[in-house]
Amino acid sequence: MAKDASTIDPITLQVIRGSIETIAEEMAHVLFRMSFSSIIRESEDLGAGLFDTEFNTLCESESTPMHIGSIPGYLHGIQDTLDDGEWYEGDVVVHNHPYHGSSHTPDLAIVIPIFHKGELVGYSANTAHHIDIGAATPGLIIDVPDVYAEGMLFAGTKLYRKGKRNETMWRFIRNNSRAARQLVDDIEAQISSARLGVKRFNELLDQYGKELVFGACNQLMDYSEKMLRQRIADIPDGEYRAEGWLDDDGRNRGQHLPVKVCVRVSGDTITVDLTGSAPQTPTAYNVPFEGSTKVAAFAAFRKLLLDTATSDTRVPSNQGSFRPIEVIAPKGSIFNPIAPASAEARFTQCNYMIDLIMKAMAPVLPEEIIAGSSASISFASYAGVRESGDYWVFLEVNEGAYGGRPKSDGPDAIDNLMANTRNNPLEDLAMHIPMICERYELRDDVMPGAGKYRGGIGVVKAQRMLTDGIITHESERHSNVPWGIFGGTEGAAGKCDIYNAVSNEPAQEMHSKFHGKEVRKDDVMAYYSPCGGGYGSPLERAPQKVLDDVLDGFCSAEHARDVYGVILNLEAETVDLAATQTRRKELEAVA
């Protein structure tokens, strides 16, 4: 395989770049259009791409960042566990083992080898989150003792061998899921997506030749690496630290889990050191190192240093953008557990780690970082049994909010940092699941962090069960409030209540994560996501923006006076500029 790409002219290079990126996007499009479960079809919790025989990422779909950079870990794990120990044309492999490179068990990868003229030249692969793989409770798990309680474990398992379907394995899958039809159909969609990648990449090789195509891919990886190294080199060498905590492990209530981040910048390389973070937990609240911990660090610095909105050029997402970053997490810690510890509920820890990385880098990257975001994810599993005796299972990701930014307010009610799944349409919910949405809007019980640019406002979503059932909920930041930065104030913590819509019983305040909660018909789970912190001094916020927030109900007139120093005439809907100037001087003097 050619390594020297220096002779490839820029036009041809961009044509090949566009071609492989289009292949990845087409793979993702086929996957979510063909899938049956809403977490893939609507939320697009997936990733797809092409990889060479050394498991380098050549291209990836622009899917949720939690999948970006994860598949090389799967490929290395498959190499160690592959059925027969060898790839054949027509093979299809499924893999999800967290101690062999996967992100976590519900994210099944489908990998198909790419043979060109009889030679193995690469892999077409995708990952997608499945609604039920037969774990201890429907959909999601938290309080379980080990990885074997997470459901079906696949390690280099061939669903097809030399093009022949392994019916025994397919029957095994059908017999071990509460949502077998959706699981099987979604895997079939993944296979169709990966097969399309094989077809399209072979067409590209036929058109341009293997040497030219892989020469271009190598040059593009080198370019991404060079661009990231240039950005890293602009950061002063040093150690940058931040720390915080996670609410609990889902079992041992009130016991915070410390998270410590040290970012070491040396020349054009970065090391993210998580030493000092909590030991691994006895529950599923651990993070697979290869498939999730490292991926979170990659995502953090791509956001910080290669953001498409702030960069002069768009840098391809490929293996090159991972090479300058090293990640350290001691064995036996929450970010690098030792088998057979369970590690399914791993997402909120990754998002919080990214938030801390941004906090650590604030002194040297003030124009790139943001204030504290919700930096969590509300991932809820609702399930029950129909009169027919069949299970129904629904997975839902609820939005959070960003912290204030260097030039604008934090976006409201949106996935943030490493999360980027779409919300599930309420119409889809009503059509397929015995639930109804009682409330879905911006939070009005708290205010976001104040600042020159305020924090984003979280969402409140209340879902009502129309049958008896089970709820499992994975979230974070009920006790750890998103921070303000550069004079901004902190945001607001999240909360979760369960109550019955037809009884007079008081609401039950839930922990940020709970497992297998039995609920009755007409019980409602209401989730309130955290609000982001503010960026910059509130006294520098444009008075008209404060007025707009008050008129929109995002801020009270008292808060405007006491925190922003803005005096309003609400009857006239105007700002008293003279009184505001005086009030701000008073607040500056106190500060």
Side-chain angles (χ1 to χ4, degrees), residues 417-448:
L417 302 180
M418 198 179 176
N420 192 35
T421 50
R422 299 172 184 264
N423 65 339
N424 195 75
L426 300 184
E427 296 82 358
D428 175 74
L429 175 71
M431 288 170 59
H432 298 102
I433 302 295
M435 292 173 59
I436 188 169
C437 184
E438 299 265 294
R439 186 181 178 197
Y440 190 20
E441 58 190 3
L442 296 178
R443 288 186 71 173
D444 59 3
D445 61 316
V446 293
M447 285 174 282

Side-chain angles (χ1 to χ4, degrees), residues 359-503:
K359 186 178 184 181
M361 301 307 294
V364 288
L365 293 174
E367 295 302 313
E368 283 80 16
I369 65 92
I370 60 177
S373 299
S374 57
S376 178
I377 189 174
S378 165
F379 204 1
S381 167
Y382 303 88
V385 179
R386 303 182 192 273
E387 291 183 3
S388 62
D390 296 328
Y391 263 99
W392 61 268
V393 182
F394 173 60
L395 297 184
E396 178 171 69
V397 180
N398 292 306
E399 300 83 11
Y402 275 97
R405 301 180 290 183
K407 296 180 181 179
S408 61
D409 294 342
D412 308 320
I414 189 172
D415 274 353
N416 55 92
L417 302 180
M418 198 179 176
N420 192 35
T421 50
R422 299 172 184 264
N423 65 339
N424 195 75
L426 300 184
E427 296 82 358
D428 175 74
L429 175 71
M431 288 170 59
H432 298 102
I433 302 295
M435 292 173 59
I436 188 169
C437 184
E438 299 265 294
R439 186 181 178 197
Y440 190 20
E441 58 190 3
L442 296 178
R443 288 186 71 173
D444 59 3
D445 61 316
V446 293
M447 285 174 282
K452 181 178 181 180
Y453 300 108
R454 67 161 174 80
I457 303 169
V459 71
V460 53
K461 195 167 195 179
Q463 298 281 35
R464 180 174 174 178
M465 301 281 286
L466 299 181
T467 70
D468 293 349
I470 299 171
I471 300 176
T472 295
H473 185 227
E474 172 190 348
S475 188
E476 193 50 64
R477 260 194 153 145
H478 283 203
S479 62
N480 185 357
V481 182
W483 48 77
I485 202 159
F486 302 134
T489 68
E490 66 181 22
K495 66 176 184 176
C496 181
D497 294 332
I498 290 182
Y499 59 90
N500 191 274
V502 298
S503 75

Side-chain angles (χ1 to χ4, degrees), residues 2-13:
K3 294 295 183 183
D4 182 9
S6 61
T7 59
I8 300 176
D9 65 274
I11 293 176
T12 302
L13 184 66

Side-chain angles (χ1 to χ4, degrees), residues 295-332:
V295 171
F298 299 155
F301 285 99
R302 184 166 182 86
K303 289 173 179 295
L304 278 172
L305 304 179
L306 298 178
D307 188 282
T308 55
T310 58
S311 299
D312 295 333
T313 57
R314 179 177 172 274
V315 177
S317 178
N318 58 36
Q319 197 70 30
S321 59
F322 312 146
R323 291 171 182 165
I325 301 169
E326 180 187 5
V327 184
I328 297 172
K331 274 282 191 182

Side-chain angles (χ1 to χ4, degrees), residues 5 65 147 161 195 218 225 235 246 329 350 374 386 399 409 420 449 519 563 589:
V147 71
R161 184 180 184 276
R195 283 175 171 162
N218 287 321
E225 178 180 1
I235 303 172
L246 302 163
C350 293
S374 57
R386 303 182 192 273
E399 300 83 11
D409 294 342
N420 192 35
V519 293
V563 178

Side-chain angles (χ1 to χ4, degrees), residues 9-21 204 207-208:
D9 65 274
I11 293 176
T12 302
L13 184 66
Q14 290 305 314
V15 168
I16 292 176
R17 170 185 170 176
S19 297
I20 60 174
E21 289 179 351
L204 189 66
Q207 182 174 1
Y208 290 98

